[in-house]
């Protein structure tokens, strides 16, 4: 899929465009030459224990070494450690860690990696964070509400 | 339905081109294409494009038309 939004400015015509391309896959668990699990990262904060990092696995399902590198990510929200070179049939563990400024934010972002095969195949991993009140906090809030009720 | 939510984030960098002789506003886009590669179906992904104002007057982004 390719999208080409047009940017209209006071510069006048011709308008300029950017282009975004994506290969939408229904089966992210059977991609080639690598499989990423989980293929979506969710760092939703449910309780009081801070969820600020998540690990994911990149499996090399090809017959050649893969050299995993970062293409693009949003450093205002997270940092990503990648495993480097992964041998055929092996897997490497990667880690995404939120930056401190992102802990109290809700967001839906993504990062894109390249696995360094002859086609320079890319993968984009969605990253989501929502903030849910802890059960303890919710109970406390409910209690406070009861006390104030007439 | 085979849909995907794509968020396009456009970021404007105001670069003052003091010696520019272009006349009027001018915009340059260092990177115009981005390939996400594999994207899971119904995922929301995003990418920043940097827009540089390289003219000698203020650049106004009037609108972005999906395409």
């Amino acid at each position: 899929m390719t999208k080409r939004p047009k940017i209209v400015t006071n510069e006048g015509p011709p308008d300029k465009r950017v282009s975004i391309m994506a290969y939408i896959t229904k089966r992210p668990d059977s991609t080639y030459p690598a499989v990423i699990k989980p293929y979506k990262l969710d760092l939703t904060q449910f309780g009081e224990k801070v969820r600020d990092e998540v690990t994911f696995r990149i499996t090399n399902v090809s017959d050649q070494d893969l050299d995993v590198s970062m293409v693009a990510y949003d450093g205002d929200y997270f940092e990503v450690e990648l495993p480097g070179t992964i041998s055929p049939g092996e897997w490497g563990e990667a880690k995404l860690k939120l930056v401190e400024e992102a802990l109290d934010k809700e967001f839906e972002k993504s990062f894109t990696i390249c696995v360094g095969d002859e086609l320079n195949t890319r993968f984009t991993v969605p990253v989501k964070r929502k903030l849910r009140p802890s059960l303890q906090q919710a109970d406390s809030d409910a209690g406070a509400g009861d006390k104030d009720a007439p | 339905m085979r849909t995907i939510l794509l968020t396009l984030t456009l970021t404007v960098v105001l670069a003052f081109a003091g010696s520019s002789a272009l006349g009027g506003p001018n915009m340059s886009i260092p990177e115009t294409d981005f390939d996400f590669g594999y994207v899971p179906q119904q995922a929301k992904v995003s990418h920043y494009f940097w827009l540089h104002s390289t003219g000698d007057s203020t650049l106004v982004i009037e609108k972005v038309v999906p395409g």
Side-chain angles (χ1 to χ4, degrees):
Chain A
M1 182 187 78
T2 299
K3 295 287 184 185
R4 298 187 69 236
K6 181 170 69 177
I7 303 163
V8 181
T9 73
N10 61 338
E11 185 184 2
D15 295 322
K16 291 177 177 168
R17 291 181 182 271
V18 294
S19 175
I20 48 177
M21 292 150 282
Y23 182 75
I24 312 302
T25 177
K26 284 182 178 176
R27 298 286 308 275
D29 55 348
S30 59
T31 50
Y32 185 88
V35 175
I36 299 176
K37 285 187 180 177
Y39 55 84
K40 291 180 180 180
L41 303 181
D42 189 342
L43 278 156
T44 294
Q45 182 71 47
F46 285 109
E48 291 189 351
K49 185 182 178 187
V50 176
R51 295 190 70 209
D52 64 347
E53 66 179 48
V54 61
T55 58
F56 57 100
R57 183 177 287 194
I58 303 169
T59 302
N60 181 351
V61 293
S62 76
D63 58 1
Q64 61 183 322
D65 282 353
L66 295 179
D67 189 14
V68 183
S69 61
M70 181 59 70
V71 175
Y73 72 103
D74 193 331
D76 289 339
Y77 292 86
F78 49 76
E79 303 284 343
V80 184
E81 290 177 20
L82 295 173
T85 302
I86 306 172
S87 302
E90 299 293 319
W91 55 267
E93 190 168 88
K95 183 166 74 175
L96 179 142
K97 185 171 174 56
L98 297 181
V99 299
E100 194 172 338
E101 293 77 15
L103 293 179
D104 60 352
K105 292 179 183 169
E106 295 191 338
F107 62 85
E108 287 186 84
K109 298 287 181 182
S110 64
F111 64 88
T112 301
I113 60 173
C114 177
V115 296
D117 59 332
E118 66 273 10
L119 297 176
N120 280 321
T121 305
R122 293 180 173 193
F123 294 80
T124 295
V125 180
V127 183
K128 180 172 75 174
R129 180 174 175 80
K130 300 286 183 188
L131 301 175
R132 307 280 187 234
S134 68
L135 291 175
Q136 193 175 15
Q137 183 64 41
D139 288 346
S140 171
D141 291 347
D146 289 342
K147 197 164 77 176
D148 292 341
Chain B
M1 191 171 132
R2 301 181 61 183
T3 59
I4 181 173
L5 297 173
L6 286 174
T7 300
L8 173 67
T9 308
L10 299 173
T11 304
V12 178
V13 175
L14 297 176
F16 294 98
S19 60
S20 172
L22 295 172
N26 188 270
M27 178 176 69
S28 68
I29 310 174
E31 176 200 49
T32 58
D33 301 333
F34 186 75
D35 180 6
F36 285 101
Y38 282 110
V39 174
Q41 191 175 21
Q42 296 191 334
K44 184 173 181 179
V45 297
S46 62
H47 180 70
Y48 289 100
F49 285 98
W50 293 88
L51 312 179
H52 290 260
S53 173
T54 52
D56 56 9
S57 61
T58 303
L59 177 72
V60 179
I61 310 294
E62 295 174 346
K63 60 181 174 179
V64 178
V65 183

